[in-house]
Short mmCIF file of all heavy atoms in Angstrom, two decimals:
data_model
loop_
_atom_site.label_atom_id
_atom_site.label_comp_id
_atom_site.label_asym_id
_atom_site.label_seq_id
_atom_site.Cartn_x
_atom_site.Cartn_y
_atom_site.Cartn_z
N MET A 130 -13.00 -9.44 2.44
CA MET A 130 -12.18 -8.64 1.53
C MET A 130 -11.99 -9.42 0.22
O MET A 130 -11.94 -10.65 0.22
CB MET A 130 -10.82 -8.36 2.15
CG MET A 130 -10.88 -7.62 3.48
SD MET A 130 -11.08 -5.86 3.28
CE MET A 130 -9.40 -5.39 2.99
N ASP A 131 -11.87 -8.69 -0.89
CA ASP A 131 -11.65 -9.32 -2.20
C ASP A 131 -10.17 -9.56 -2.48
O ASP A 131 -9.82 -10.21 -3.45
CB ASP A 131 -12.23 -8.44 -3.31
CG ASP A 131 -13.75 -8.44 -3.30
OD1 ASP A 131 -14.35 -9.46 -2.91
OD2 ASP A 131 -14.34 -7.41 -3.68
N VAL A 132 -9.28 -8.98 -1.65
CA VAL A 132 -7.84 -9.13 -1.84
C VAL A 132 -7.26 -9.86 -0.64
O VAL A 132 -7.89 -9.95 0.41
CB VAL A 132 -7.15 -7.75 -2.03
CG1 VAL A 132 -7.60 -7.10 -3.31
CG2 VAL A 132 -7.42 -6.84 -0.84
N LYS A 133 -6.04 -10.37 -0.82
CA LYS A 133 -5.37 -11.09 0.26
C LYS A 133 -3.88 -10.73 0.25
O LYS A 133 -3.37 -10.19 -0.74
CB LYS A 133 -5.57 -12.59 0.12
CG LYS A 133 -4.98 -13.16 -1.16
CD LYS A 133 -5.38 -14.60 -1.36
CE LYS A 133 -4.83 -15.21 -2.63
NZ LYS A 133 -5.05 -14.48 -3.85
N ALA A 134 -3.20 -11.04 1.34
CA ALA A 134 -1.76 -10.80 1.43
C ALA A 134 -1.06 -11.54 0.29
O ALA A 134 -1.41 -12.67 -0.03
CB ALA A 134 -1.24 -11.27 2.78
N GLY A 135 -0.11 -10.86 -0.33
CA GLY A 135 0.63 -11.45 -1.45
C GLY A 135 0.11 -11.02 -2.81
O GLY A 135 0.81 -11.19 -3.81
N ASP A 136 -1.13 -10.49 -2.89
CA ASP A 136 -1.67 -10.02 -4.17
C ASP A 136 -0.87 -8.83 -4.67
O ASP A 136 -0.47 -7.96 -3.90
CB ASP A 136 -3.14 -9.59 -4.03
CG ASP A 136 -4.10 -10.76 -3.98
OD1 ASP A 136 -3.66 -11.91 -4.22
OD2 ASP A 136 -5.28 -10.52 -3.69
N ARG A 137 -0.65 -8.78 -5.98
CA ARG A 137 0.00 -7.65 -6.63
C ARG A 137 -1.11 -6.75 -7.17
O ARG A 137 -1.97 -7.23 -7.92
CB ARG A 137 0.90 -8.15 -7.76
CG ARG A 137 1.86 -7.14 -8.24
CD ARG A 137 2.83 -7.80 -9.20
NE ARG A 137 3.67 -6.77 -9.75
CZ ARG A 137 4.94 -6.92 -10.04
NH1 ARG A 137 5.51 -8.09 -9.83
NH2 ARG A 137 5.64 -5.94 -10.53
N ILE A 138 -1.10 -5.48 -6.76
CA ILE A 138 -2.21 -4.59 -7.08
C ILE A 138 -1.76 -3.33 -7.80
O ILE A 138 -0.59 -2.98 -7.81
CB ILE A 138 -2.96 -4.17 -5.78
CG1 ILE A 138 -2.02 -3.44 -4.83
CG2 ILE A 138 -3.61 -5.38 -5.13
CD1 ILE A 138 -2.71 -2.69 -3.73
N LEU A 139 -2.74 -2.65 -8.38
CA LEU A 139 -2.57 -1.35 -9.00
C LEU A 139 -3.47 -0.40 -8.24
O LEU A 139 -4.61 -0.74 -7.93
CB LEU A 139 -3.03 -1.44 -10.46
CG LEU A 139 -2.32 -0.62 -11.51
CD1 LEU A 139 -0.84 -0.89 -11.50
CD2 LEU A 139 -2.90 -0.90 -12.86
N PHE A 140 -2.96 0.80 -7.90
CA PHE A 140 -3.75 1.75 -7.15
C PHE A 140 -3.59 3.15 -7.73
O PHE A 140 -2.69 3.39 -8.52
CB PHE A 140 -3.37 1.74 -5.66
CG PHE A 140 -1.90 1.87 -5.38
CD1 PHE A 140 -1.30 3.11 -5.25
CD2 PHE A 140 -1.12 0.75 -5.23
CE1 PHE A 140 0.05 3.22 -4.99
CE2 PHE A 140 0.23 0.84 -4.96
CZ PHE A 140 0.82 2.09 -4.85
N GLY A 141 -4.48 4.05 -7.35
CA GLY A 141 -4.49 5.41 -7.87
C GLY A 141 -3.31 6.23 -7.38
O GLY A 141 -2.70 5.93 -6.35
N LYS A 142 -3.00 7.29 -8.12
CA LYS A 142 -1.85 8.14 -7.83
C LYS A 142 -1.91 8.75 -6.43
O LYS A 142 -0.90 8.88 -5.76
CB LYS A 142 -1.78 9.25 -8.88
CG LYS A 142 -0.56 10.11 -8.79
CD LYS A 142 -0.50 11.06 -9.97
CE LYS A 142 0.81 11.82 -9.99
NZ LYS A 142 0.97 12.61 -11.19
N TRP A 143 -3.06 9.16 -5.97
CA TRP A 143 -3.20 9.84 -4.68
C TRP A 143 -3.78 8.92 -3.61
O TRP A 143 -4.28 9.38 -2.60
CB TRP A 143 -4.07 11.08 -4.83
CG TRP A 143 -3.57 11.98 -5.91
CD1 TRP A 143 -4.14 12.20 -7.12
CD2 TRP A 143 -2.36 12.76 -5.90
NE1 TRP A 143 -3.38 13.06 -7.87
CE2 TRP A 143 -2.27 13.43 -7.14
CE3 TRP A 143 -1.34 12.94 -4.98
CZ2 TRP A 143 -1.23 14.26 -7.47
CZ3 TRP A 143 -0.29 13.79 -5.33
CH2 TRP A 143 -0.24 14.43 -6.55
N SER A 144 -3.70 7.64 -3.79
CA SER A 144 -4.28 6.68 -2.85
C SER A 144 -3.40 6.47 -1.62
O SER A 144 -2.18 6.52 -1.70
CB SER A 144 -4.46 5.32 -3.52
OG SER A 144 -5.33 5.42 -4.60
N GLY A 145 -4.04 6.22 -0.51
CA GLY A 145 -3.35 5.77 0.69
C GLY A 145 -2.61 6.81 1.49
O GLY A 145 -2.49 7.96 1.10
N THR A 146 -2.11 6.36 2.63
CA THR A 146 -1.31 7.16 3.54
C THR A 146 0.02 6.46 3.74
O THR A 146 0.06 5.27 4.05
CB THR A 146 -2.03 7.27 4.92
OG1 THR A 146 -3.31 7.86 4.71
CG2 THR A 146 -1.23 8.10 5.89
N GLU A 147 1.11 7.19 3.54
CA GLU A 147 2.43 6.60 3.68
C GLU A 147 2.81 6.53 5.15
O GLU A 147 2.59 7.48 5.91
CB GLU A 147 3.45 7.41 2.89
CG GLU A 147 3.21 7.36 1.40
CD GLU A 147 4.25 8.13 0.60
OE1 GLU A 147 5.19 8.69 1.19
OE2 GLU A 147 4.11 8.15 -0.63
N ILE A 148 3.39 5.39 5.55
CA ILE A 148 3.87 5.21 6.92
C ILE A 148 5.24 4.55 6.87
O ILE A 148 5.64 3.99 5.85
CB ILE A 148 2.91 4.35 7.78
CG1 ILE A 148 2.81 2.92 7.23
CG2 ILE A 148 1.54 4.98 7.88
CD1 ILE A 148 2.16 1.95 8.19
N LYS A 149 5.97 4.63 7.98
CA LYS A 149 7.24 3.92 8.11
C LYS A 149 7.06 2.92 9.24
O LYS A 149 6.69 3.28 10.35
CB LYS A 149 8.37 4.89 8.42
CG LYS A 149 9.75 4.25 8.34
CD LYS A 149 10.85 5.28 8.42
CE LYS A 149 11.04 5.94 7.11
NZ LYS A 149 12.19 5.63 6.35
N LEU A 150 7.27 1.65 8.94
CA LEU A 150 7.08 0.58 9.90
C LEU A 150 8.34 -0.28 9.92
O LEU A 150 8.72 -0.84 8.88
CB LEU A 150 5.86 -0.25 9.51
CG LEU A 150 5.31 -1.24 10.49
CD1 LEU A 150 4.86 -0.55 11.78
CD2 LEU A 150 4.13 -1.98 9.89
N ASP A 151 9.01 -0.35 11.05
CA ASP A 151 10.27 -1.08 11.17
C ASP A 151 11.29 -0.63 10.12
O ASP A 151 12.00 -1.45 9.52
CB ASP A 151 10.05 -2.59 11.05
CG ASP A 151 9.31 -3.18 12.25
OD1 ASP A 151 9.36 -2.55 13.33
OD2 ASP A 151 8.71 -4.25 12.09
N GLY A 152 11.34 0.68 9.84
CA GLY A 152 12.30 1.23 8.90
C GLY A 152 11.93 1.06 7.43
O GLY A 152 12.67 1.47 6.55
N GLU A 153 10.79 0.47 7.15
CA GLU A 153 10.35 0.24 5.77
C GLU A 153 9.21 1.18 5.43
O GLU A 153 8.30 1.38 6.23
CB GLU A 153 9.89 -1.22 5.60
CG GLU A 153 9.52 -1.57 4.19
CD GLU A 153 9.13 -3.03 4.03
OE1 GLU A 153 8.93 -3.73 5.03
OE2 GLU A 153 9.02 -3.45 2.87
N ASP A 154 9.26 1.79 4.24
CA ASP A 154 8.19 2.67 3.78
C ASP A 154 7.05 1.84 3.22
O ASP A 154 7.24 1.08 2.26
CB ASP A 154 8.70 3.64 2.70
CG ASP A 154 9.68 4.66 3.26
OD1 ASP A 154 9.50 5.05 4.43
OD2 ASP A 154 10.62 5.04 2.54
N LEU A 155 5.87 1.95 3.83
CA LEU A 155 4.69 1.22 3.41
C LEU A 155 3.53 2.19 3.26
O LEU A 155 3.66 3.37 3.56
CB LEU A 155 4.34 0.15 4.46
CG LEU A 155 5.41 -0.91 4.72
CD1 LEU A 155 5.07 -1.72 5.96
CD2 LEU A 155 5.58 -1.83 3.53
N MET A 156 2.40 1.69 2.79
CA MET A 156 1.20 2.50 2.64
C MET A 156 0.01 1.76 3.24
O MET A 156 -0.07 0.54 3.16
CB MET A 156 0.90 2.75 1.16
CG MET A 156 1.90 3.59 0.45
SD MET A 156 1.48 3.78 -1.28
CE MET A 156 -0.07 4.61 -1.17
N ILE A 157 -0.90 2.54 3.82
CA ILE A 157 -2.18 2.00 4.27
C ILE A 157 -3.25 2.63 3.38
O ILE A 157 -3.24 3.85 3.17
CB ILE A 157 -2.47 2.35 5.74
CG1 ILE A 157 -1.44 1.70 6.65
CG2 ILE A 157 -3.88 1.90 6.12
CD1 ILE A 157 -1.60 2.08 8.10
N MET A 158 -4.12 1.80 2.84
CA MET A 158 -5.20 2.34 1.99
C MET A 158 -6.45 1.49 2.17
O MET A 158 -6.38 0.36 2.62
CB MET A 158 -4.77 2.40 0.53
CG MET A 158 -4.56 1.08 -0.13
SD MET A 158 -4.06 1.20 -1.87
CE MET A 158 -2.44 1.93 -1.73
#
């Protein structure tokens, strides 16, 4: 992968799938 945990990224408006994990709203893309 070209990215790693901790990287700050920019993504498209319609990117990813929203999930709730341990009460926190996150995205998988």
Side-chain angles (χ1 to χ4, degrees):
M130 301 278 278
D131 289 329
V132 294
K133 62 188 179 308
D136 282 351
R137 195 171 175 144
I138 60 164
L139 214 55
F140 51 88
K142 186 173 187 172
W143 306 109
S144 299
T146 302
E147 295 182 1
I148 64 166
K149 189 171 280 253
L150 192 61
D151 291 337
E153 184 177 12
D154 292 326
L155 300 168
M156 294 178 62
I157 296 176
M158 67 180 67

